[in-house]
Amino acid sequence: MQKISWGIIGCGDVAEVKSGPAFQKCEHSELVSVMRRNPEKAKDFAKRHSVPNWTTNADEILQNPEINSVYIATPPSSHLAYTLKALEAGKHIYLEKPITLNLSEALQIKTALENSTSKLVVAHYRRKLPAFLKVKQLLDEKAIGKVQFAEIKIIQPNHDKLTAETEENWRLQPEISGGGYFYDLAPHQLDLMIHFFGDPVSIVGSSANQSGSSKADDIVNGIMSFNNKIQFTGLWAFNAGVKKRIDSCKIYGSNGVIEFSFFGDQVSLITSKATKEIFNFKTLPHVQQPLIQAAINYFLGKEENPCAIESGVEVMRIMESFSKSATH
């Protein structure tokens, strides 16, 4: 295999800018066909992005001999079925987050992958973004000494007419998304904690549907312990009475603090000597491109898996432990 020939299953909003164009811009990569159930939207996506083929039937992607890899970017409720079909067809897979509705489905994918010849990369793309590579570098260099604990706060204000919006917003339908905005946003944040500190050794949490605006819980909090006695606390609130969003992660060490946001391009290093260093990074036009390139290199046997199924499974385990609203 000299080139990765892609088919996209689910060319919606995420594929429009964040990921879709990257499959044509990466080295040793081409985008052969895209699929979406709505024919007008599928055709329009293909035309605007210069994709030679489009379809409304995912099986046409999976059975196309010219396609050796698929990007599954549909809502989570269909991830399991499409992934199992892709594995049966011998395709490599780049799988969107959250990888499934729940931990049980994630474990099914892990088992099926182990019994196949295909390769799979989970689309936790922040691992390869410059800002988070810098955080990893600072941690590896022990810039803040011995890591003691990490704290995440994701707080969003009330949304006007939220009830009306939920009728069309699948992210607020647990049977489709797994568990509201928490399941949509937290995978990236929790995966970075795994990437930085390894798998947690203990997990506890709780959640609630305080507003009743949808079927999904709108507040989730959790506590974890990692190896080396590293502690973690996280709070996700999506119905707060505030005007400004809070998007914050602080990692405390014996000699300082690293601060960053998950949706920003700035990392701050504050040392025990009261000095502050700020690192700024440019926003990439297609934020998933670095991880997609790494996935391509992995599929071609040129490098290790940048985000393996085990990380996706662990994220599902954490979210299910934090949130009682998960679909079982």
Side-chain angles (χ1 to χ4, degrees):
M1 188 183 296
Q2 301 299 318
K3 179 184 287 188
I4 298 303
S5 299
W6 293 94
I8 295 179
I9 300 176
C11 54
D13 293 341
V14 172
E16 186 63 41
V17 177
K18 288 183 177 181
S19 58
F23 294 99
Q24 295 163 307
K25 294 178 179 292
C26 286
E27 295 180 354
H28 311 295
S29 176
E30 63 178 352
L31 181 54
V32 175
S33 184
V34 296
M35 172 269 173
R36 190 168 181 173
R37 290 180 180 179
N38 184 305
E40 289 79 15
K41 291 182 177 180
K43 182 179 180 180
D44 178 64
F45 185 98
K47 181 179 180 180
R48 287 184 294 102
H49 293 279
S50 301
V51 183
N53 304 293
W54 63 271
T55 179
T56 60
N57 185 350
D59 287 339
E60 291 186 16
I61 298 282
L62 296 171
Q63 301 304 322
N64 188 335
E66 296 181 3
I67 294 173
N68 53 42
S69 303
V70 296
Y71 170 39
I72 299 175
T74 56
S77 57
S78 58
H79 284 187
L80 176 62
Y82 283 139
T83 300
L84 294 181
K85 285 186 176 182
L87 292 174
E88 290 176 3
K91 310 294 186 185
H92 297 319
I93 301 163
Y94 183 68
L95 179 60
E96 264 300 340
K97 57 78 205 168
I99 59 172
T100 50
L101 284 178
N102 52 51
L103 177 59
S104 175
E105 289 188 354
L107 290 170
Q108 290 182 58
I109 288 179
K110 182 177 181 292
T111 298
L113 181 64
E114 291 169 348
N115 293 316
S116 77
T117 58
S118 298
K119 297 179 178 180
L120 185 150
V121 173
V122 179
H124 291 147
Y125 64 84
R126 280 176 172 79
R127 286 190 177 204
K128 290 293 184 178
L129 290 182
F132 306 112
L133 290 172
K134 184 63 179 180
V135 174
K136 185 69 163 61
Q137 177 190 343
L138 292 172
L139 292 171
D140 290 344
E141 293 174 351
K142 301 187 184 304
I144 58 171
K146 183 179 180 181
V147 175
Q148 297 168 328
F149 60 97
E151 174 190 76
I152 287 177
K153 286 185 179 179
I154 305 294
I155 301 176
Q156 294 187 4
N158 291 308
H159 296 279
D160 293 335
K161 301 179 181 178
L162 182 61
T163 303
E165 291 177 2
T166 60
E167 295 178 1
E168 298 179 358
N169 190 348
W170 60 262
R171 289 175 175 83
L172 290 176
Q173 301 176 44
E175 67 274 15
I176 299 176
S177 66
Y181 289 131
F182 174 68
Y183 266 57
D184 186 49
L185 298 179
H188 287 304
Q189 297 138 21
L190 294 171
D191 177 70
L192 283 177
M193 298 302 103
I194 293 171
H195 187 47
F196 296 155
F197 309 128
D199 291 343
V201 295
S202 68
I203 310 167
V204 294
S206 63
S207 64
N209 186 345
Q210 293 180 329
S211 68
S213 298
S214 73
K215 292 184 290 183
D217 284 0
D218 52 25
I219 185 167
V220 180
N221 64 82
I223 300 172
M224 293 189 289
S225 296
F226 293 89
N227 285 321
N228 301 318
K229 301 180 181 178
I230 296 172
Q231 302 296 298
F232 167 90
T233 63
L235 172 67
W236 292 260
F238 303 103
N239 198 42
V242 295
K243 292 183 178 181
K244 187 177 180 180
R245 296 170 185 261
I246 298 174
D247 162 28
S248 169
C249 181
K250 297 180 181 180
I251 302 174
Y252 295 82
S254 57
N255 294 322
V257 184
I258 298 171
E259 297 182 8
F260 58 91
S261 71
F262 295 99
F263 296 92
D265 295 290
Q266 186 178 94
V267 175
S268 298
L269 170 64
I270 305 169
T271 68
S272 57
K273 297 179 181 180
T275 61
K276 183 173 183 178
E277 191 171 1
I278 297 176
F279 306 93
N280 292 295
F281 303 90
K282 292 183 179 180
T283 301
L284 301 179
H286 313 296
V287 291
Q288 294 210 34
Q289 186 167 339
L291 186 64
I292 291 171
Q293 185 65 69
I296 291 166
N297 295 342
Y298 168 58
F299 294 166
L300 292 174
K302 296 181 178 182
E303 65 177 76
E304 296 297 315
N305 193 335
C307 190
I309 185 62
E310 286 79 7
S311 295
V313 169
E314 196 61 29
V315 166
M316 297 306 300
R317 188 188 315 278
I318 295 170
M319 291 200 301
E320 202 158 288
S321 298
F322 284 180
S323 174
K324 67 179 178 62
S325 66
T327 303
H328 297 290

